[in-house]
Amino acid sequence: VPRLARSTQQLCEIIEVIKRKKLRLVIVGSITVDCRSGQIDPMSQAFIQMSAVFAELELSIIRARVRSGMENAKSKGKLITFDPNLRKPLWKDMDTCKEQMLWGIRQADVMKISDEEVEFLFGLGVEDGAAYIRREFGVKLVFVTCGPDGCYFSNGISTGKVPSLSG
């Protein structure tokens, strides 16, 4: 169930679609939900909703541990690296996605970000985006990957572009 939806609400929406389209959902190794009649039996509904609640709890615990670990590492003078790795389909809304990504950037000393992510977050190009991240978030070293065009880097002392590997 945690791989099917990111929240209890999102899972309930998925179940409603399955009921409306009269489908059969098979969660391998877990449960089969047969909605071909347009209904779901109460035990399956309860099982799925309870699983979703526990999955959401697990995600909250993981987030809390990550935040605590990062605070602990920073307090001990460790470098924090961050790669937002944007995957839009995994987010229920883009505002929450941006909020979480910006939180990660605020923690980072070194960052790897793609040109698409720079555009998504700031509406900027590669070089302006790297400068903005360093200036506004205090990131010491920024790498912006540019697909087949290679990688741009900036650390406040120097900037440059490295071509992508060929072959």
Side-chain angles (χ1 to χ4, degrees):
V1 174
R3 304 275 189 276
L4 182 61
R6 301 284 286 183
S7 68
T8 304
Q9 177 184 348
Q10 189 179 43
L11 182 64
C12 290
E13 291 166 1
I14 290 169
I15 295 300
E16 286 304 312
V17 169
I18 291 168
K19 285 184 349 188
R20 188 174 61 251
K21 293 187 175 195
K22 298 183 178 182
L23 301 173
R24 182 172 177 249
L25 171 67
V26 177
I27 301 174
V28 178
S30 180
I31 189 173
T32 298
V33 180
D34 192 347
C35 296
R36 291 179 289 187
S37 68
Q39 298 298 318
I40 184 173
D41 72 274
M43 288 299 286
S44 295
Q45 178 89 24
F47 176 81
I48 286 177
Q49 288 176 333
M50 288 172 35
S51 296
V53 167
F54 285 110
E56 205 167 330
L57 171 64
E58 179 183 36
L59 185 58
S60 295
I61 290 169
I62 290 168
R63 283 185 179 141
R65 285 184 170 173
V66 166
R67 289 175 189 253
S68 174
M70 288 179 74
E71 289 170 10
N72 185 38
K74 273 199 171 275
S75 74
K76 293 179 179 177
K78 305 296 182 188
L79 285 178
I80 304 295
T81 62
F82 181 61
D83 175 357
N85 200 12
L86 176 62
R87 300 290 184 262
K88 290 181 180 180
L90 298 179
W91 293 92
K92 63 181 174 182
D93 68 83
M94 291 300 96
D95 290 336
T96 302
C97 176
K98 283 183 180 182
E99 177 185 314
Q100 292 294 318
M101 290 173 78
L102 292 172
W103 181 87
I105 295 171
R106 283 191 289 275
Q107 311 311 308
D109 299 300
V110 177
M111 178 163 193
K112 181 268 176 206
I113 189 169
S114 73
D115 51 355
E116 293 97 352
E117 291 162 343
V118 169
E119 169 66 30
F120 170 74
L121 288 170
F122 310 114
L124 297 172
V126 171
E127 293 179 24
D128 290 340
Y132 182 82
I133 290 166
R134 284 190 345 75
R135 184 179 64 249
E136 298 299 320
F137 294 91
V139 177
K140 296 174 183 74
L141 175 60
V142 178
F143 295 97
V144 183
T145 56
C146 306
D149 294 328
C151 179
Y152 176 81
F153 65 88
S154 174
N155 68 1
I157 297 169
S158 77
T159 61
K161 191 154 189 163
V162 177
S164 64
L165 299 174
S166 61

